[in-house]
Amino acid sequence: IGNLRYLRFLWLHDNFIEGSLPPTLTKLKNLRYLKLEENFLISTFPSDLGRLNDLEWLTVNGNSMFGEIPNGLYKMKKLEILRLDDTLMRESPFLTVPDEGFTGSISPLIGDMQDLRLLFLNNNPMNGTIPTELGLCEKLEIVRLHRTDIGGAMPREVCLLRDKGLNSVTNAGVLYSDCRPNNRTEIPFLRCGCCSDCCDHTTGVCIADD
């Protein structure tokens, strides 16, 4: 596939594609849209993913993806849609691998991705805290960080985005995190005074909190 050097749109979502992402994928330097969601992929990202620096849309949700997010991803400054969600506990048991789901933490480099409009990282075993640099992404419209192991508190810089694009007419469905008491009685995974929807990390129940 690396020989298709003029390819701009690669839409392979909702199929039965198996295997891993080919390393030659990163040779498609003219690629704008890469839609691979809802397949049967078991893969990490190529380490040189950042070579796709013209990419505007990247969706791999609904696959058995795993490993840390490479720093190269944060070099994709034109990226508007990023969906890495729902890679944990896929419904098909034969797809499950021991290290399933994206791991590691969100890099402060995410602040360089200022064209981001949609960021879905939910249902991954990611950890750490939310970097204040996420607040530099002022075009964000929807952020979903629930069902992860991310802790701490939602930075004030991110909360201020609720007065910008990260809002809706109903004030719901735009900023999700695990800010409900965990397992109904324990302390929340993440403290958030500005989230539109708070989720219980253990039960998965999300309730509008605005």
Side-chain angles (χ1 to χ4, degrees):
I1 195 170
N3 293 329
L4 304 175
R5 57 179 180 168
Y6 296 113
L7 191 66
R8 298 182 63 191
F9 299 88
L10 183 57
W11 294 359
L12 298 172
H13 55 291
D14 295 292
N15 281 293
F16 293 91
I17 299 173
E18 300 178 356
S20 59
L21 298 179
T24 54
L25 188 68
T26 59
K27 292 184 178 181
L28 305 176
K29 294 186 178 181
N30 288 303
L31 202 61
R32 301 292 189 274
Y33 285 72
L34 179 58
K35 293 170 60 66
L36 300 173
E37 69 267 23
E38 303 301 336
N39 277 295
F40 294 91
L41 295 170
I42 305 176
S43 184
T44 59
F45 274 136
S47 59
D48 58 347
L49 186 68
R51 295 178 65 185
L52 302 176
N53 53 17
D54 279 337
L55 208 62
E56 300 173 12
W57 191 300
L58 174 59
T59 50
V60 296
N61 50 293
N63 286 290
S64 293
M65 303 292 293
F66 62 95
E68 293 195 11
I69 298 172
N71 280 337
L73 183 141
Y74 300 106
K75 296 179 181 179
M76 298 178 177
K77 297 182 180 181
K78 296 181 181 180
L79 205 61
E80 298 180 13
I81 307 295
L82 179 60
R83 290 200 60 174
L84 308 182
D85 52 301
D86 294 331
T87 65
L88 184 63
M89 298 299 289
R90 298 285 290 128
E91 293 179 1
S92 302
F94 64 88
L95 281 177
T96 304
V97 292
D99 51 358
E100 190 176 3
F102 287 112
T103 55
S105 58
I106 304 172
S107 170
L109 295 173
I110 199 167
D112 294 333
M113 305 173 71
Q114 296 183 17
D115 282 342
L116 269 182
R117 294 189 292 109
L118 188 149
L119 175 64
F120 282 16
L121 300 177
N122 50 293
N123 285 292
N124 279 296
M126 298 183 69
N127 53 29
T129 59
I130 300 171
T132 59
E133 288 82 358
L134 183 60
L136 296 173
C137 302
E138 297 186 354
K139 294 181 181 179
L140 279 169
E141 298 173 2
I142 304 178
V143 176
R144 295 188 176 178
L145 304 172
H146 57 293
R147 300 301 300 278
T148 67
D149 293 330
I150 295 172
M154 187 66 69
R156 177 177 179 272
E157 291 82 355
V158 177
C159 286
L160 290 175
L161 297 181
R162 293 301 312 278
D163 293 326
K164 298 178 181 178
L166 195 59
N167 217 322
S168 70
V169 175
T170 61
N171 284 328
V174 293
L175 180 55
Y176 284 70
S177 76
D178 289 330
C179 48
R180 282 183 62 78
N182 185 40
N183 206 16
R184 300 177 181 169
T185 58
E186 303 170 21
I187 60 174
F189 261 59
L190 189 142
R191 301 185 305 278
C192 183
C194 64
C195 287
S196 64
D197 296 73
C198 281
C199 305
D200 183 325
H201 176 84
T202 299
T203 66
V205 174
C206 298
I207 297 178
D209 199 51
D210 263 356

